[in-house]
Structure formats: structure tokens, C-alpha cells
């Protein structure tokens, strides 16, 4: 998820490199990659594989990618389970994914520094509307309170 991060282990790992930066106006690159992100994670899960989603700092871009997947598919999209079916920290199964605000809350519980750039969050709100027909998060309120707890954005 980072323009500035090279693929160090191409002989050993499969990569899905998405060239995004944290600059304003980079939402278009992220929007163009949404389906590729979901498809890559789906293919890894179908093969009982694992996915490491990362960027340079682990705050904005990687968080945005994880949120995109959760909004579209949810954590258990009918693919093989990871073997942690009893893990109470996992969100409930949902074929159509999660509401963006619920996904953000779930993510921040596990990674409190998660804070997608407002341009990415705007794209995620549009992505959510595409799959869920209405937004669960107000992008303007998010932009003004980006580092708040998710429950404070409701």
C-alpha cells in the first residue's frame, strides 16, 4: 500500500502492491485498487493462506485496505475459516460485509492508531454505499475527528 516501500521478498511471497501515498488527492489511486485488494485477499483466503497488509507507518493506507475488505466481504465471506471460530474478537460473519463504522470500530479495537486519510475515507464511504446502499459514517465528521475513537464518530 505504499509507493515508497519496495517488495523485498518477491522470491518467497506473493505481493499485491498498490501504489498510494498519503497526500490529498490520492483517493483516486485507492478507489481504482479497491477490487484488486478484495480479490487478492479472497484468493489468499480461498487457498487457506494469510495476508499481511502493510504500508510505511501502518496508520492510514493499510487500515484503509482492511476496511475496504471488511465493508465488502466481512471477515468470513464463506471462505475457509482461519481455525479461530471461537475468537470473540472477530466480527460477526456477514456475506455482504460490515457497515463502515462497525468495521472501523473493530479495527481500532485491534489497532488503535488506525486512522485512514480523509481522502481514503471518502472513497470508503462511497464503497460502502455501493454495497450497503447508505453510509454509516459521515465523512465530514470523520475528517474533523480523524483520530477519535470510532464510537465517537456515530
Amino acid at each position: 500500500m505504499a509507493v515508497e516501500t519496495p517488495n523485498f521478498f518477491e522470491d518467497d511471497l506473493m505481493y499485491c502492491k498498490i501504489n498510494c501515498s498519503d497526500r490529498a488527492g490520492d483517493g483516486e489511486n485507492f478507489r481504482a485498487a479497491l477490487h484488486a485488494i478484495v480479490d487478492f485477499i479472497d484468493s489468499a483466503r480461498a487457498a487457506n493462506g494469510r495476508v499481511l497488509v502493510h504500508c510505511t507507518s501502518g496508520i492510514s493506507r493499510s487500515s484503509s485496505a482492511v476496511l475496504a475488505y471488511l465493508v465488502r466481504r466481512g471477515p468470513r465471506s464463506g471462505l475457509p475459516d482461519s481455525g479461530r471460530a471461537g475468537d470473540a474478537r472477530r466480527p460477526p460473519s456477514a456475506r455482504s460485509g460490515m457497515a463502515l463504522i462497525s468495521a472501523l470500530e473493530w479495527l481500532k479495537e485491534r489497532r488503535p492508531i488506525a486512522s485512514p486519510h480523509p481522502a481514503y475515507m471518502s472513497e470508503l464511504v462511497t464503497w460502502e454505499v455501493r454495497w450497503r446502499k447508505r453510509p454509516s459514517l459521515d465523512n465530514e465528521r470523520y475528517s474533523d475527528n480523524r483520530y477519535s475513537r470510532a464510537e465517537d464518530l456515530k
Side-chain angles (χ1 to χ4, degrees):
M1 288 297 304
V3 174
E4 65 278 5
T5 304
N7 296 341
F8 288 109
F9 305 102
E10 289 185 336
D11 292 338
D12 302 314
L13 302 173
M14 292 178 55
Y15 284 87
C16 175
K17 183 165 181 153
I18 308 297
N19 289 320
C20 292
S21 69
D22 269 335
R23 291 187 296 256
D26 199 33
E28 270 186 42
N29 289 344
F30 178 62
R31 180 181 345 118
L34 290 170
H35 288 288
I37 292 165
V38 171
D39 290 346
F40 185 81
I41 295 172
D42 278 348
S43 66
R45 293 186 72 195
N48 289 320
R50 296 180 181 180
V51 176
L52 170 65
V53 181
H54 72 91
C55 58
T56 303
S57 299
I59 297 171
S60 176
R61 293 170 280 185
S62 58
S63 297
S64 298
V66 170
L67 289 172
Y69 186 81
L70 291 173
V71 166
R72 179 63 186 109
R73 296 279 193 248
R76 299 183 191 165
S77 60
L79 296 168
D81 197 353
S82 66
R84 294 181 291 169
D87 187 350
R89 292 173 30 122
R90 294 182 67 153
S93 179
R95 286 183 179 242
S96 61
M98 300 172 74
L100 179 57
I101 190 71
S102 299
L104 181 64
E105 192 171 346
W106 183 84
L107 181 61
K108 282 185 171 268
E109 283 176 10
R110 287 150 184 80
R111 184 139 180 93
I113 65 170
S115 179
H117 188 282
Y120 297 151
M121 189 56 81
S122 177
E123 296 301 335
L124 287 167
V125 168
T126 301
W127 179 251
E128 176 185 34
V129 169
R130 179 175 183 180
W131 304 112
R132 300 182 65 82
K133 308 300 181 216
R134 61 188 173 120
S136 62
L137 183 140
D138 181 275
N139 194 51
E140 189 172 317
R141 186 171 184 177
Y142 173 81
S143 294
D144 292 342
N145 301 287
R146 176 178 171 192
Y147 298 101
S148 297
R149 297 176 312 154
E151 53 268 13
D152 295 338
L153 298 171
K154 292 182 179 177

